Each structure stands twice: as structure tokens, then as C-alpha cells.
Amino acid sequence: MKDGDPTIQRPQQNTFYEPDISARKLCLVWESGRELQLYYRDLVDVDFDPDKDSTSLILQFLNKKVILKGQDLYQLIILFRADEPCLIVVSNKRYIVLSQQQQFVVTDVIIE
């Protein structure tokens, strides 16, 4: 009888899934408002060759190849080594401040 009594408060079960740590995403944001979110679990390779081209960084995902172009991209490589950056904002080349040398700047993104 107690199991069918609606006046008795019973603890509610959590109906949400546990957070999946593999669902971390990289979000690319353009000036136009466009956003592209890519899952880190699909990231296969990060390629930066300063001898070949110090202004390009290639991110190879399972289904996309993303080429980031800009300045001081070595700073971004350090972030990829230590952590996984969650947001990269694509800036217009006209607004780059030359004195801002401590921060990487992404000016173009090519998606293949």
C-alpha cells in the first residue's frame, strides 16, 4: 500500500547523463557571428612547422581539416600542449595592434 500512496514523498532519480569529458569543444568565432564547434575527441593532429610557414597552423580532425592563419601562432601551440583552448576568435587584419606581441592572432580560417 505504501508504494502506491501518492502522498508519500520519494527521492527523484537524476535523469541526466553524467558529464562526458570527451565532449570538450573548440569554438571558432568569426566577425560575422559565424561559429564552428569542433570536438576535441575528433582531433587527430596539430601541425605547426615554423621553418615551412610560421603563419599557419593545421588542425586535422576526423572529418575536417582546419587551417588557421595569423601571427604568433606559436603561442597557440603552447596552449594546445598545456590545455585545450575552448575559443579562438578570428580577427580582422586591419585591427591587429603591432604592440600586442604576447598574444596570438588568428586572421583567417580555411576549412577543407
Side-chain angles (χ1 to χ4, degrees), residues 48 53-57 68-79 96-107:
F48 178 71
D53 184 4
S54 64
T55 62
S56 294
L57 173 67
L68 304 175
K69 294 192 173 274
Q71 296 178 0
D72 298 323
L73 294 181
Y74 185 73
Q75 300 296 325
L76 186 55
I77 285 292
I78 292 171
L79 289 176
I96 297 174
V97 179
L98 294 177
S99 62
Q100 194 179 22
Q101 296 298 322
Q102 298 297 329
Q103 182 72 12
F104 69 90
V105 177
V106 175
T107 56

Side-chain angles (χ1 to χ4, degrees), residues 77-89:
I77 285 292
I78 292 171
L79 289 176
F80 272 107
R81 264 192 245 142
D83 299 308
E84 295 174 339
C86 63
L87 178 68
I88 296 176
V89 177

Side-chain angles (χ1 to χ4, degrees), residues 18-64:
E18 291 296 319
D20 183 5
I21 61 169
S22 67
R24 291 179 292 195
K25 295 183 246 179
L26 169 64
C27 183
L28 300 170
V29 180
W30 284 261
E31 277 186 316
S32 65
R34 177 184 177 194
E35 289 189 23
L36 175 65
Q37 295 185 13
L38 301 159
Y39 287 95
Y40 272 107
R41 67 175 176 233
D42 297 335
L43 182 61
V44 177
D45 190 31
V46 177
D47 186 14
F48 178 71
D49 187 356
D51 292 334
K52 183 178 175 186
D53 184 4
S54 64
T55 62
S56 294
L57 173 67
I58 301 171
L59 306 174
Q60 182 67 51
F61 290 86
L62 289 175
N63 58 352
K64 286 183 182 9

